Amino acid sequence: MNDESMLPGSPRFGHKGAVIWLTGLSASGKSSLANGLEHALLARGYACYVLDGDTLRKGLNANLGFSPEDRGENIRRVAAVAGLFADAGLVCIVAVISPYRADRALARQAYARGFHEVYVAADLQTCEARDPKGLYRKARAGELSQFTGISAPYEAPLQPQLRLETAGESLEASVATLLGYVLEKIPRPLKAD
């Protein structure tokens, strides 16, 4: 093993480590895209892992609420874990609402050399129509406070590396666009014989 393979984010898996940070409203398609991308990358020999906001809220971040301060701490923790995965050489795919630009800017610092912000853009009407967990309905009924897009703000990225318009295209098309971006930005070099 050469010295380069021991560097953080080194290509020990045949590619460099990276963080693909999917941000957008609830029901915009972040988790579906993350899982689709993971499947496509694994099929191509990439080492990757998905960190999903819902899963992390049940474990690592179970003690956090939805105040701006708790949301900031949630993102800080997620970014720290994602940075560790990337340092180990994996492509870490993060699917979290991450509503505040300042928090996303801090997340970028956890792995600045390979952080890719992807805006999963779907308008509020589309997300409410999808509403797979009934969260928008509960928020509109006053049963959920601090719900992003209803009673709490979402600050869309100003200059994401990639913007996916999930309201107007199929999941398959969005995954294909995202995969193309990742393959371009994080190529898997051919190994010498």
Side-chain angles (χ1 to χ4, degrees):
M1 194 179 305
N2 62 33
D3 291 339
E4 184 179 309
S5 69
M6 298 303 290
L7 295 173
S10 67
R12 68 183 77 168
F13 297 111
H15 58 81
K16 291 193 175 189
V19 174
I20 309 299
W21 192 278
L22 306 176
T23 178
L25 291 171
S26 180
S28 61
K30 298 177 304 298
S31 295
S32 298
L33 283 166
N35 292 323
L37 178 61
E38 180 187 42
H39 180 76
L41 288 175
L42 288 172
R44 287 162 177 78
Y46 280 73
C48 55
Y49 190 77
V50 171
L51 293 176
D52 185 87
D54 289 342
T55 304
L56 292 167
R57 283 279 187 177
K58 293 175 186 167
L60 178 68
N61 297 330
N63 65 321
L64 298 175
F66 292 92
S67 69
E69 297 78 21
D70 281 354
R71 287 176 186 265
E73 177 60 13
N74 177 55
I75 296 309
R76 187 196 69 76
R77 291 179 190 180
V78 173
V81 173
L84 292 172
F85 275 106
D87 273 344
L90 281 81
V91 175
C92 185
I93 307 159
V94 178
V96 291
I97 294 171
S98 51
Y100 302 116
R101 289 184 194 113
D103 291 340
R104 293 191 305 268
L106 290 173
R108 180 180 295 277
Q109 292 176 12
Y111 199 74
R113 66 186 168 278
F115 186 96
H116 304 266
E117 184 178 42
V118 178
Y119 178 30
V120 182
D123 59 87
L124 184 59
Q125 183 179 359
T126 298
C127 293
E128 282 194 77
R130 290 176 180 164
D131 201 13
K133 300 173 204 156
L135 298 177
Y136 284 101
R137 182 185 47 76
K138 289 179 182 178
R140 292 281 187 200
E143 297 171 27
L144 293 177
S145 63
Q146 298 293 320
F147 190 77
T148 304
I150 304 297
S151 54
Y154 178 78
E155 300 170 355
L158 298 176
Q159 295 181 325
Q161 280 70 50
L162 181 65
R163 179 185 174 111
L164 298 171
E165 299 286 345
T166 61
E169 69 180 10
S170 69
L171 174 61
E172 294 77 15
S174 293
V175 169
T177 300
L178 181 55
L179 176 62
Y181 173 85
V182 171
L183 294 177
E184 177 187 334
K185 299 296 182 182
I186 310 160
R188 186 172 165 79
L190 297 174
K191 294 184 179 181
D193 291 323

